[in-house]
């Protein structure tokens, strides 16, 4: 798998974090959905264990960010 795919995921995750920090829950949620779709696509085409390990790390991170967004939206 190409490293730039994971680079794109990393950028997307950083955007989500920045949106959470700026208390923009709606946009953070939209970006989370977009990045999750990209991650699912990578999972569909993963060929080796290293890719699967990297993907699983992003899955855990996205789940944590989703919890932060839920908490943020609850405060609004």
């Amino acid at each position: 798998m190409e490293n730039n795919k994971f680079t794109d995921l990393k950028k997307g995750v950083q955007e989500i974090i920045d949106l959470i920090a700026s208390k923009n829950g709606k946009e953070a949620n939209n970006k989370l959905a977009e990045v999750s779709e990209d991650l699912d696509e990578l999972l569909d085409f993963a060929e080796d264990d290293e890719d699967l390990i990297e993907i699983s790390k992003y899955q855990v991170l996205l789940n944590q960010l989703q919890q932060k967004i839920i908490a943020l939206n609850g405060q609004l």
Side-chain angles (χ1 to χ4, degrees):
M1 185 170 299
E2 300 174 15
N3 272 343
N4 67 350
K5 295 291 184 183
F6 289 117
T7 301
D8 291 343
L9 275 178
K10 185 177 179 180
K11 289 178 184 177
V13 167
Q14 186 60 53
E15 287 180 45
I16 295 167
I17 293 169
D18 292 344
L19 289 165
I20 292 170
S22 66
K23 300 193 185 301
N24 191 342
K26 183 177 179 181
E27 287 298 317
N29 198 43
N30 292 340
K31 188 65 180 180
L32 178 75
E34 180 184 318
V35 173
S36 293
E37 286 179 22
D38 293 343
L39 188 63
D40 288 343
E41 187 175 319
L42 288 176
L43 182 59
D44 289 342
F45 296 104
E47 295 181 2
D48 59 32
D49 289 343
E50 288 179 19
D51 289 343
L52 292 174
I53 291 169
E54 192 70 16
I55 289 168
S56 68
K57 291 177 185 177
Y58 278 101
Q59 287 174 322
V60 170
L61 179 56
L62 290 179
N63 286 336
Q64 292 296 317
L65 291 173
Q66 184 177 31
Q67 295 302 313
K68 294 285 187 188
I69 292 168
I70 290 169
L72 175 64
N73 287 337
Q75 293 176 356
L76 296 177

